[in-house]
Amino acid sequence: MLFEFTEEQLMIKQAARDFAQTELKPGVIERDEHQQFPAEQIKKLGELGFLGMMVAPQYGGGGMDAISYVLAIEEISKIDASTAVILSVNNSLVCNGLEKFGNEFQKEKYLVPLAKGESIGAFCLSEPEAGSDATSQHTTAIDMGDHYLLNGTKNWITNGSTASTYLVMAQTNGAKRHDGINALIVEKGMAGFTIGPKENKMGVRGSDTHSIMFDDVKVPKENRIGDEGFGFKFAMKLLEGGRIGIAAQALGIASGAYELALQYSKQRKAFGKPLADLQGIQFKLADMATEIEAARLLCLRAAWLKDHHQPYAQASSMAKLFASDVAMRTTVEAVQIHGGYGFVKEYHVERMMRDAKVTQIYEGTSEIQRIVISREILK
């Protein structure tokens, strides 16, 4: 693994950083306060090619590698983790799923507008009784010959109201359990498709999270991804890559909070000297910087393995597990370094602390990551 970035990778990193500073930072506190979706900013990111970064140019994407993706997500997450998770779902789960496993008809109809940023996608796996246990799908897709009849509810759907294309896992043959699950492409506006109320979340409040309900939705057979019963394998494979995006998001939250804490420690004076001159603060900053660098290397290693078509399930779970824990520890310490100012919104770190928590939960909890890692090392 090379530890030097290419000129193109550095350009992408700088472009993402510039966009975050100029387009995302103004208004980020207000968007968090009012749970406002960053529609204008997402539109601009789509025009810049960030919604389909890793998709091949023939399908409207940027043809970039996973390392470039990690660099971009980190820079955006330093300022606005809500925007980062919108990008992460569209890139890692929806676009990647369609490009890797969809047929040419599905790619032309759905992937191209998603990669170009003309539309947004959502990934629908979790249910009221099927979160970490993804095999317990209660949403059903009954085979009706030329179509499936889809019924059920999906929970915690990122881009729930703003998406136009939804990748939905549903049980067609319960007797086969996970081998009876299908992956279906569902369009907003299909009869029987209903979007539930927006969840009032602790963090990443700028991203829209909803429940999605299906009541006798007719999904054409041509919208099934892969063979009959492929849905569970499809979802699990995509989550391996999705964890790289969430790890990069956690990394960005941590590094953004660290940069703010470092800057504040140099400006704020206590006992007649800057906070940064106090050994207790220096120890905190040293620990934060060390853990962030370790998390960054884990993220880049997982991305490198993916780029080189090597197994990366263990690496992505390690990156997601460690980076999300680092994000929590770092943001808590950033608030502590800021003291009372860390507890108010205008200094950003309290929002980062709230945003960090969800990185330990979605794409599989920290406990699930430990299960994945242990299974890989015990093979």
Side-chain angles (χ1 to χ4, degrees):
M1 175 180 169
L2 292 175
F3 289 88
E4 292 183 1
F5 300 125
T6 66
E7 184 177 343
E8 182 182 8
Q9 289 166 344
L10 290 173
M11 288 175 61
I12 292 166
K13 175 182 173 69
Q14 188 61 49
R17 185 176 182 86
D18 290 344
F19 186 91
Q21 293 290 334
T22 60
E23 300 286 346
L24 291 175
K25 191 171 183 178
V28 65
I29 295 174
E30 290 74 18
R31 290 195 300 275
D32 172 79
E33 181 75 18
H34 301 293
Q35 300 190 75
Q36 180 183 346
F37 185 84
E40 181 181 344
Q41 291 81 5
I42 291 295
K43 182 176 183 295
K44 290 180 179 178
L45 283 168
E47 293 169 353
L48 292 171
F50 282 97
L51 285 177
M53 293 184 66
M54 296 178 287
V55 176
Q58 71 183 96
Y59 298 116
M64 303 174 200
D65 58 10
I67 287 179
S68 298
Y69 173 63
V70 166
L71 296 175
I73 292 293
E74 179 187 354
E75 291 299 330
I76 289 169
S77 300
K78 286 180 181 180
I79 302 300
D80 187 357
S82 293
T83 296
V85 74
I86 296 165
L87 294 181
S88 180
V89 168
N90 203 73
N91 276 285
S92 296
L93 300 179
V94 183
C95 285
N96 186 42
L98 287 169
E99 183 174 29
K100 192 168 185 178
F101 299 108
N103 57 39
E104 286 303 312
F105 164 78
Q106 293 165 348
K107 291 177 184 179
E108 289 295 332
K109 184 175 181 180
Y110 299 106
L111 176 59
V112 171
L114 287 164
K116 288 183 176 179
E118 297 170 354
S119 62
I120 298 175
F123 185 78
C124 303
L125 177 63
S126 295
E127 298 184 0
E129 297 181 26
S132 296
D133 182 10
T135 61
S136 300
Q137 296 289 305
H138 291 279
T139 297
T140 58
I142 306 303
D143 192 336
M144 304 298 289
D146 64 343
H147 68 274
Y148 293 98
L149 202 60
L150 185 64
N151 284 279
T153 300
K154 294 293 182 178
N155 274 17
W156 318 117
I157 306 305
T158 299
N159 304 337
S161 66
T162 52
S164 59
T165 303
Y166 299 74
L167 305 188
V168 181
M169 310 313 125
Q171 185 69 256
T172 297
N173 189 334
K176 293 184 176 181
R177 291 182 54 77
H178 65 276
D179 288 329
I181 296 171
N182 279 321
L184 305 176
I185 304 171
V186 180
E187 300 176 23
K188 180 190 286 184
M190 285 181 168
F193 178 100
T194 305
I195 300 171
K198 180 187 289 187
E199 300 291 350
N200 188 5
K201 300 172 297 184
M202 178 175 76
V204 290
R205 289 166 59 83
S207 72
D208 61 316
T209 304
H210 296 255
S211 292
I212 307 293
M213 284 76 78
F214 309 102
D215 183 11
D216 284 346
V217 177
K218 292 183 179 179
V219 182
K221 275 282 182 72
E222 64 189 17
N223 281 28
R224 187 188 71 211
I225 300 174
D227 295 331
E228 188 75 34
F230 178 64
F232 183 76
K233 292 178 182 177
F234 170 79
M236 294 302 103
K237 192 63 182 174
L238 291 183
L239 289 176
E240 291 179 8
R243 285 167 187 145
I244 297 176
I246 299 307
Q249 181 188 344
L251 170 63
I253 295 170
S255 56
Y258 165 74
E259 288 177 7
L260 290 174
L262 178 61
Q263 180 183 28
Y264 182 83
S265 72
K266 294 177 179 179
Q267 296 171 344
R268 176 71 170 176
K269 290 186 176 181
F271 308 105
K273 62 177 71 174
L275 290 179
D277 287 352
L278 301 174
Q279 191 177 68
I281 300 298
Q282 292 172 357
F283 285 176
K284 288 181 184 294
L285 292 170
D287 287 344
M288 293 160 75
T290 301
E291 289 198 330
I292 288 168
E293 189 62 23
R296 182 174 290 112
L297 293 174
L298 282 172
C299 289
L300 291 172
R301 177 175 178 268
W304 185 90
L305 290 171
K306 186 176 188 293
D307 284 336
H308 287 77
H309 309 290
Q310 297 184 31
Y312 59 91
Q314 177 180 313
S316 65
S317 284
M318 284 180 169
K320 197 267 187 187
L321 172 64
F322 187 74
S324 61
D325 286 349
V326 168
M328 274 310 306
R329 287 194 291 269
T330 300
T331 53
V332 168
E333 291 288 39
V335 171
Q336 193 73 13
I337 289 172
H338 279 75
Y341 290 107
F343 212 64
V344 297
K345 295 183 182 298
E346 66 180 285
Y347 284 79
H348 297 283
V349 288
E350 66 84 28
R351 169 173 50 82
M352 291 176 165
M353 185 174 70
R354 289 186 284 107
D355 288 347
K357 185 58 192 175
V358 77
T359 67
Q360 295 179 312
I361 299 172
Y362 55 22
E363 301 278 355
T365 63
S366 296
E367 291 75 19
I368 292 296
Q369 303 316 308
R370 288 181 170 88
I371 292 173
V372 173
I373 294 165
S374 63
R375 283 178 177 171
E376 291 293 322
I377 63 179
L378 290 171
K379 279 183 178 179

